[in-house]
Amino acid sequence: MIESNLAALADAAKGRIAAATTPAELETIRVEFLGRKGGALASIDMKSVPADQKAAVGKMLNTAKQAIEALLDARTSDFASAAQAARLESEWLDLTVPPTGPRRGSLHPLTQIQNEIEDLFVSLGFTVLDGPEVESDEHNFDALNIPPDHPARDMQDTFWLDGGWLLRTHTSPVQVRGMRKLGPPLRMIAPGRVFRNEEVDASHEHTFYQLEGMMVDKNVSVANLLYFMKTLLSAIFKRDVTVRLRPGYFPFVEPGFELDIQCLICNGAGCPVCKQSGWVELLPCGLVHPNVLRRSNIDPEEWGGFAFGLGLTRLVMMRYAIDDIRQLQGGDLRFLRQF
Ligand code: PHE
C-alpha cells in the first residue's frame, strides 16, 4: 500500500520537476514534496506501519526522497547553466573592434580659406585688421568717394539701420579705418562678413564674406597690384586657373579692374553659379583713388596704393565646387563634415 503510494508520489514529482520553468517553481516543488512540515513524504504516517516493516518502509522513503532530491538538483543546475550561458551571450564583447571615440569638429571651409590667406599676407608683411559690421555711412560710402547722390550707391543694395547707420556692404570701410589709424606706409588685409539687401538664389546671399586688401606706399603701380594678385591666386588654387582682367568701375579706385576666373564648377561651359557666362568675378581691384587717400589724411602727391576686395565666399565655392551658396550658411552637418 505505502509502496505504491510512494511510487505514485515519485512519479508525480518527476513530472512536475520536468515541467518546471523557473528555479522558484523548483523550490515550490521541493517544499511540496520534501518539506519537513506538510511535505508529501513527511505526511506518510509511520505510526500506522507495523513494527516489523518500519525498517523496510523507512528505507523506501529514503530512496524516494533521494531520487526526488537528485532530480531537483539536476534541474537546478540546468537552470544555472542556462542562466550563465545567457549572461555570457549578453555580455559578449569583441575586443578587436577599433574604438570610435567622439567625432571631432572641423573648421568651416570659409574659416580654413581665410586662415590660409591671412598666413600668406602676414608672410608678405601685411597686418590683419578687423572692422565693425554695423558701419557709418561715412566709412562705407563717403570716405570711399561715394557721396550721397552718387549712382554707385545703387550698385550695392544696402540694409539701412536707424540713425543713418547701415550693415556694411563691403569690407572696404576697413581701408578707411586702417589708413586713419595706421597711416602710410600701410599693408593691411581685412576679412569679414558683409551684407546686401539682395534676392537670395544659388549665387547670391544677403550675407557673405570678403577679404579686403590694401597697400599704400611710394611708387605703387599696377605692376605691384598684379604681382600680389598672381601670388594670391596661385597660393589659393595650387593649380593653373584661367583668369581674365577687364576694366571695372568702383569709385574708390582708378584705374579699376575686375579679375575674373573661369568658373571651376562648369569649367567655363555655363552654370547657375557663373550665371551661364563661364566666368566668375572673384577679385575686383585697382589703384586707390586720390580722393580716398585725401579723405583719410594721406597726401596723394606723396603716396599711392592698390586695393582689392576678394570674394571669400565665391572663392570657397570655386575651390570646392559648391554649386549653391546657401549651403555655406545652412548649418547642415552632413555638408560641413566633408571639410
Ligand atoms: N568693395 C568692392 C565691392 O564690393 C570691391 C573692391 C574692393 C573693388 C577694393 C576695388 C577695390 O564690391
Side-chain angles (χ1 to χ4, degrees):
M1 180 62 190
I2 285 183
E3 203 174 346
S4 60
N5 272 354
L6 268 179
L9 266 181
D11 268 354
K14 198 174 167 187
R16 294 277 307 284
I17 290 167
T21 54
T22 63
E25 245 175 275
L26 287 181
E27 198 43 43
T28 313
I29 296 169
R30 185 187 298 275
V31 172
E32 220 172 280
F33 286 89
L34 306 178
R36 281 178 191 284
K37 285 180 191 162
L41 292 189
S43 59
I44 286 175
D45 185 9
M46 286 296 279
K47 281 184 203 133
S48 65
V49 177
D52 61 341
Q53 289 174 26
K54 276 198 199 305
V57 170
K59 219 175 179 179
M60 272 166 24
L61 268 176
N62 230 0
T63 310
K65 185 179 165 221
Q66 280 168 2
I68 293 173
E69 258 169 3
L71 286 173
L72 283 168
D73 287 351
R75 194 87 175 111
T76 302
S77 72
D78 280 354
F79 280 140
S81 49
Q84 170 84 343
R87 207 192 77 208
L88 285 179
E89 176 70 23
S90 75
E91 289 179 357
W92 185 83
L93 279 181
D94 183 352
L95 296 177
T96 66
V97 172
T100 48
R103 197 196 280 269
R104 298 181 70 192
S106 60
L107 293 177
H108 192 281
L110 262 160
T111 311
Q112 292 183 28
I113 285 204
Q114 181 185 320
N115 289 349
E116 263 177 54
I117 299 176
E118 284 183 12
D119 287 349
L120 170 70
F121 276 99
V122 166
S123 80
L124 296 171
F126 283 67
T127 306
V128 182
L129 296 184
D130 203 7
E133 292 174 348
V134 172
E135 263 295 8
S136 67
D137 188 329
E138 206 264 335
H139 284 93
N140 197 82
F141 291 124
D142 283 342
L144 291 167
N145 200 29
I146 316 175
D149 51 359
H150 197 287
R153 288 201 174 203
D154 297 339
M155 286 163 62
Q156 302 180 352
D157 301 301
T158 308
F159 284 113
W160 290 97
L161 307 174
D162 288 345
W165 296 91
L166 50 83
L167 294 182
R168 67 178 178 190
T169 56
H170 49 182
T171 43
S172 300
V174 194
Q175 287 184 23
V176 177
R177 295 180 177 276
M179 286 186 287
R180 290 179 185 174
K181 189 160 184 180
L182 303 172
L186 173 67
R187 291 181 184 203
M188 55 152 277
I189 56 167
R193 195 155 62 145
V194 302
F195 309 86
R196 294 203 194 161
N197 195 352
E198 289 196 42
E199 211 66 65
V200 171
D201 62 27
S203 55
H204 293 91
E205 259 283 23
H206 47 71
T207 302
F208 55 99
Y209 287 77
Q210 291 186 332
L211 186 136
E212 195 79 9
M214 181 181 226
M215 176 170 170
V216 178
D217 212 320
K218 312 226 161 163
N219 306 316
V220 174
S221 68
V222 172
N224 298 122
L225 168 65
L226 290 181
Y227 169 78
F228 278 99
M229 298 304 95
K230 277 186 189 155
T231 308
L232 174 58
L233 289 177
S234 59
I236 293 168
F237 288 106
K238 298 179 185 81
R239 63 159 159 149
D240 279 337
V241 289
T242 311
V243 300
R244 72 177 184 191
L245 192 67
R246 57 193 171 89
Y249 175 69
F250 302 94
F252 33 96
V253 287
E254 178 58 39
F257 305 101
E258 284 281 8
L259 198 154
D260 303 338
I261 69 167
Q262 197 169 68
C263 182
L264 296 176
I265 289 169
C266 62
N267 288 317
C271 69
V273 173
C274 61
K275 292 182 227 140
Q276 311 304 331
S277 73
W279 296 90
V280 174
E281 288 175 11
L282 187 66
L283 195 49
C285 53
L287 295 187
V288 183
H289 195 288
N291 286 350
V292 172
L293 294 171
R294 225 174 267 125
R295 282 290 294 237
S296 291
N297 317 313
I298 296 176
D299 181 1
E301 301 298 324
E302 194 182 346
W303 303 95
F306 69 71
F308 62 87
L310 177 67
L312 265 190
T313 301
R314 288 228 174 114
L315 182 60
V316 173
M317 294 176 72
M318 289 296 113
R319 172 132 124 193
Y320 296 113
I322 297 165
D323 61 8
D324 193 325
I325 192 172
R326 289 165 288 199
Q327 291 190 299
L328 285 168
Q329 310 272 6
D332 186 336
L333 289 177
R334 292 168 305 176
F335 170 76
L336 292 172
R337 278 182 183 138
Q338 301 173 74
F339 301 96

